[in-house]
Amino acid sequence: MKKRDVETTGHEWDGIEELNNPLPRWWLWVFYATIVWGIGYTIAYPAWPGIRSATAGVMGWSTRANIAEDIAAATAANAEITARLAETPLTEIAADPVLDGFARNSGGAVFRTWCAQCHGSGAAGAKGYPNLLDDEWLWGGSIEAIHESIQHGIRNDQSDMARYSEMPAFGEILEDDEIDQVVNYVMSLSGEPREADLVAAGGDVFADNCSACHGAAGEGDQSLGAPNLSNAVWLYGGDYETIRHTVEYSRYGVMPAWQDRLSDAEIAAVATYVHGLGGGE
């Protein structure tokens, strides 16, 4: 058979040359069609990015607009029950199965959107962020108390009604040996102190400096946001070094006020959701 006279690409590997055969005609036409389609697409739909936005396209199509329409439709469909949720007293929501179910589901969505970043997707909290699943509440675990915490927040400058308390930095008040004593006393309330011989003296330091907020027995005071020190639940950690750091430098956790970000119904819903996780009083 006579060899075809076809130019090569000039590439050769181990004596094997690459022939420069023309592309199939059908493939070329498909390729040209994709170019034409691409040009038409960039004209019809949003495509070319700019400094502030992309070209809008002559058809005015927008994924954001589609999502906004879907949200508006869902909002309209839930308008009646949302209004009921905002108007119903918090303690009466659970008595209405339909309203309670809506509140828990919508509250779960609000929680996962706005609260999970700090409290965790399962609401178990993290160091410095309260666990919402247990029975230990700094400011109270009733549904009304939870609602107030969500609405106004903690130690923020957004709401005049934010819950507020401030622990002094006792490193500026007590001597180092007094701090060691009171830390060992606090550890003895819920477990074993590091130095048992300092506990008695630490009790005196505690009575003079800490009992006004934490109580004579260290059981805390929810009206002040003062934690219970007589159990093994610790927000920042219960080891000696962590407690000493807390006593010496204090802690100052801040929670934003959600009253300007969430609607009344959304706050009621997420309060219902959190209260129903198992730790609500």
Side-chain angles (χ1 to χ4, degrees), residues 92-113:
E92 297 178 13
I93 293 174
D96 185 333
V98 174
L99 189 60
D100 186 57
F102 175 77
R104 289 174 185 270
N105 284 307
S106 59
V110 172
F111 184 92
R112 289 185 289 273
T113 301

Side-chain angles (χ1 to χ4, degrees), residues 29-256:
W29 283 114
V30 171
F31 178 66
Y32 296 147
T34 60
I35 294 175
V36 173
W37 171 267
I39 294 172
Y41 190 94
T42 61
I43 294 173
Y45 293 96
W48 297 104
I51 296 176
R52 300 193 176 205
S53 62
T55 55
V58 297
M59 296 185 67
W61 185 83
S62 169
T63 53
R64 289 180 180 272
N66 288 352
I67 292 173
E69 290 176 3
D70 291 341
I71 293 175
T75 301
N78 292 324
E80 181 180 349
I81 194 169
T82 299
R84 282 177 53 202
L85 179 59
E87 296 168 357
T88 302
L90 294 169
T91 55
E92 297 178 13
I93 293 174
D96 185 333
V98 174
L99 189 60
D100 186 57
F102 175 77
R104 289 174 185 270
N105 284 307
S106 59
V110 172
F111 184 92
R112 289 185 289 273
T113 301
W114 298 103
C115 314
Q117 292 87 342
C118 293
H119 294 284
S121 59
K127 185 176 181 178
Y129 300 99
N131 180 353
L132 305 178
L133 304 177
D134 59 24
D135 294 327
E136 293 301 314
W137 294 89
L138 290 175
W139 298 93
S142 67
I143 191 169
E144 297 96 334
I146 294 171
H147 184 276
E148 184 176 351
S149 294
I150 296 169
Q151 185 174 20
H152 299 295
I154 313 293
R155 303 185 192 93
N156 60 65
D157 55 6
Q158 300 164 309
S159 173
D160 293 336
M161 297 181 66
R163 295 183 182 278
Y164 191 91
S165 65
E166 185 172 357
M167 175 180 172
F170 282 100
E172 303 172 359
I173 301 173
L174 302 177
E175 300 295 332
D176 283 348
D177 58 341
E178 291 178 310
I179 294 177
D180 288 335
Q181 292 166 1
V182 77
V183 169
N184 277 280
Y185 174 75
V186 168
M187 292 183 69
S188 74
L189 295 177
S190 61
E192 293 293 328
R194 191 168 78 169
E195 298 177 72
D197 58 324
L198 299 181
V199 170
D204 294 334
V205 177
F206 185 91
D208 293 339
N209 296 274
C210 314
S211 61
C213 293
H214 293 284
E219 295 179 349
D221 186 344
Q222 290 183 346
S223 67
L224 300 173
N228 184 349
L229 306 178
S230 64
N231 56 28
V233 179
W234 296 92
L235 186 58
Y236 291 93
D239 59 280
Y240 178 86
E241 288 75 15
T242 301
I243 297 175
R244 195 181 202 287
H245 183 94
T246 299
V247 173
E248 188 170 1
Y249 299 103
S250 180
R251 304 286 183 177
Y252 195 81
V254 175
M255 174 179 170

